[in-house]
Structure formats: structure tokens, C-alpha cells
Amino acid sequence: MSDAIDRLIAPFPRTRLLSWATPVEALPRLGDRLGIDLRVKRDDLTGIAFGGNKVRKLEFYLGQARHEGADTLLITGAVQSNFVRVAAACAARLGMDCHVQLEERVPGQGDTYRSSGNVLLDDLLGATRYSYPVGEDEAGADARLHEIAADLTHRGRRPYVIPLSPGHPPLGSLGYLVCAAELMAQGALDVDTIVLGSGSGLTHSGLLFGLRTLGWRGRVVGICVRRAAAAQAERLLRHCERLAALLQVAVPVGPGDIEVHDDVLAPGYGQVNDPVADAMRLAARLDGMLVDPVYTARALAGLIACAADGRIAAGSRALFLHTGGLPALFAYETDLRSRVLNG
């Protein structure tokens, strides 16, 4: 890791959950189809319980939880949340209980969505599940989680809450400062553009912050998976400001560094549209790569759209950050059979 990133993260407790650098691979056939030199950073291969980008974040959340003497982890997310699933797995590895709250964010889904995929794994991992009926109420979901934590405290437990809403110290972003240094050590920053899904914003802001700290000046393009581009750009800027305050350094990111696109977002979070279906087919059938319908397929669909209209120039070099989420494929069987396999 770079000395600059080492110094920044040194004051923060960290529980090591990832013991290797995830690989960077070529996507030759998909790249040829798009007319670009395309590679992928395989953060779906972070190991524990089907992995994904959340493992990097949990190293710091769980580091702080253990520092505080917590014995119970609480987290909230969508019904098919990857963060919830990996949190339950990491808590199990560390001998902690895990209480998870699942929010109703995606309309029109049936029984398979609520029982298979990540939900099935949450149960297998021993998590205690709760339901939250509202899908777009981050503050309310966090408040309910704190009520559960208060009850656990009353019963003699020592809970630690991973917050969802912005305004909290962005500990999870520290994991993507580490990833920025990892990319540099791998020689993977000889690209013009990095593309990733932008949801909570912690991965996007952490990676951008880390890359700018290391002096890399290329584009980091976020594809919106939950909210419109204007709102997401504002969220990312605030995350970067809070991250700078946490690290006690100047903000290396300005508004001009933040690039987000929302043209493949409709009809909304977790809902399969034609570009998402096309991205899933192309990735699987050209390069044998699986992407999930919520995050990585939408991010790849955005990359494909950018290559098609010149926002990513023909012949340029691009890196796609694969953030995992593959268990959700099984929960979306109905959509896959009707929208993806029949396309």
C-alpha cells in the first residue's frame, strides 16, 4: 500500500477480512464490442460469503465495533442487500450476533425475491431479521435500527449500529482508500476512466478521494443505481467533505471531479430495464462474467451507454469496478427469465 494512504488510515481500528488483492482482468470480447480497451477490478472476489465491495467497508466498521467492545452488529438495507448479507457473515466470523433490517425498496416483487438470494443467506448465517416497510426513508430506517439497539442494550447486549443515512463519519469509505492504493500497486491505473455503480456513495467517494490523494487525475464515473444524478453528486461531495474531516486533511476532491450519470436508472432502484438486461446478457455471453441486476449490471449498462455515445471515447482504456452482489441473481429469477434470457 502507498505510504500516503497508510498514514491516513493508521489511526482507525481495522479488522482484517481481506487477505489478498483482488485481481484486475481483461474483458477482451466485451471491450471489442464497445470499441474500447476494457478491464475489470474483481471486487466480487473479496472472499467471505460471496464477497463484494462491502467486505472492504466492514474492515473499518467492525474494527470500530470491536474497539468499542460491541458483541452485536446492527445494519439496515434493501431486502436483497449485499451489505446486510456480508455484515451477517463477518459478524459470524468474529463471534458477534447480527440483527438486520430489510427495507421494502423494490415494488412488484414476489415470494422468491423475499425468500431466496441474499435473504436465504442472511438466515443461513444466523442473522435476526426485521422488516421496515418504507424504501426511501434513510433517517427513519436508521432511527428504527437505534430503537432495536436500545432494546438490546436494555437486555445487556453491547450493540454497534452501521448507519445508512448521510451525516455520519464515513468509516466505510476508508476501505476504498485502501482499494485506490491497491490499484496503484497493481499497475492498474494506466486507464483513462474508472466506472462503478454509485449508490450509498461510500465506495465512489472513497475511491475518488483515494485516487486524488495519490495524484491520479483520470475520470471516475459513477452510474446512479438509486437516485438522480444531481442528488447523487451532492451526496458524493458531502461524503468527501466528511471524509476529509474524519482524516483531518484538506479535501482533494472538488465538484469538477464528481461525474455521475443516471440515464439507465429508470424506472428505479432494483428494477430491471432493457439496458440492464442487455448488460447482463453481454457480460455473460461475451466474457463469462456475471453481474447482478441491482448494482453491477446497471453500472455496466451505464458504461455501455457511455461508450456508445462517446462519453467514453473509442479506443480509450476503461476499468470497470465489479462490486459483487451475485446472490441477488437467484432472487430475480422471474425478471431474468422474462427480461434477460428471452432478449
Side-chain angles (χ1 to χ4, degrees):
M1 193 186 305
S2 79
D3 290 342
I5 299 299
D6 274 341
R7 286 193 297 271
L8 288 179
I9 67 171
F12 300 93
R14 182 181 181 190
T15 296
R16 294 296 184 118
L17 300 165
L18 176 61
S19 57
W20 59 84
T22 61
V24 175
E25 302 173 346
L27 293 174
R29 297 188 67 216
L30 181 56
D32 285 348
R33 174 72 67 93
L34 302 179
I36 61 176
D37 177 352
L38 182 59
R39 307 121 188 233
V40 57
K41 172 67 168 168
R42 295 292 305 276
D43 265 16
D44 56 318
L45 300 179
T46 52
I48 184 167
F50 290 98
N53 63 323
K54 313 305 184 184
V55 174
R56 294 189 188 272
K57 300 178 183 183
L58 283 161
E59 289 196 330
F60 291 93
Y61 284 123
L62 284 166
Q64 184 61 32
R66 297 175 86 189
H67 178 72
E68 295 178 12
D71 60 16
T72 306
L73 187 67
L74 290 91
I75 188 168
T76 187
V79 170
Q80 284 296 326
S81 170
N82 301 305
F83 207 166
V84 164
R85 177 249 310 162
V86 179
C90 293
R93 177 173 290 186
L94 298 176
M96 302 173 69
D97 287 341
C98 190
H99 291 245
V100 305
Q101 177 175 264
L102 303 184
E103 308 159 26
E104 293 289 343
R105 293 187 195 169
V106 183
Q109 295 294 330
D111 291 342
T112 301
Y113 177 81
R114 290 178 174 79
S115 63
S116 186
N118 284 309
V119 178
L120 178 63
L121 297 179
D122 296 340
D123 292 344
L124 179 61
L125 291 161
T128 300
R129 279 199 282 130
Y130 306 80
S131 179
Y132 190 74
V134 185
E136 294 298 333
D137 180 15
E138 291 181 326
D142 276 349
R144 175 58 184 143
L145 210 59
H146 281 283
E147 290 174 3
I148 297 168
D151 180 63
L152 289 167
T153 300
H154 181 72
R155 290 190 271 148
R157 306 311 301 269
R158 299 186 301 277
Y160 181 85
V161 173
I162 297 176
L164 172 66
S165 56
H168 302 276
L171 280 177
S173 287
L174 299 178
Y176 273 86
L177 270 68
V178 175
C179 185
E182 186 175 297
L183 285 166
M184 174 170 279
Q186 290 175 304
L189 294 180
D190 61 337
V191 295
D192 308 296
T193 305
I194 296 173
V195 179
L196 74 164
S198 195
S200 73
L202 293 179
T203 297
H204 187 165
S205 58
L207 184 63
L208 177 59
F209 195 107
L211 292 170
R212 291 296 184 260
T213 297
L214 295 171
W216 189 75
R217 303 307 304 176
R219 297 164 65 200
V220 178
V221 177
I223 305 302
C224 296
V225 302
R226 187 169 179 190
R227 59 188 61 82
Q232 187 67 8
E234 178 67 19
R235 186 184 184 98
L236 291 166
L237 188 58
R238 299 288 87 78
H239 275 328
C240 287
E241 292 170 349
R242 293 185 188 99
L243 185 53
L246 181 68
L247 297 169
Q248 300 182 42
V249 297
V251 186
V253 174
D257 294 302
I258 295 174
E259 182 177 352
V260 286
H261 301 294
D262 61 8
D263 44 314
V264 298
L265 176 59
Y269 176 88
Q271 299 179 66
V272 177
N273 58 23
D274 288 343
V276 166
D278 290 343
M280 295 179 78
R281 273 194 304 274
L282 286 172
R285 295 175 183 179
L286 292 179
D287 280 307
M289 183 175 74
L290 300 177
V291 287
D292 82 288
V294 182
Y295 290 95
T296 49
R298 185 161 262 112
L300 186 59
L303 186 157
I304 292 168
C306 287
D309 65 14
R311 284 174 288 175
I312 296 177
S316 64
R317 296 163 297 181
L319 177 72
F320 176 63
L321 180 63
H322 192 319
T323 54
L326 299 183
L329 284 166
F330 301 100
Y332 277 81
E333 180 182 359
T334 300
D335 283 308
L336 266 62
R337 292 197 179 281
S338 64
R339 300 292 301 274
V340 180
L341 303 184
N342 293 329

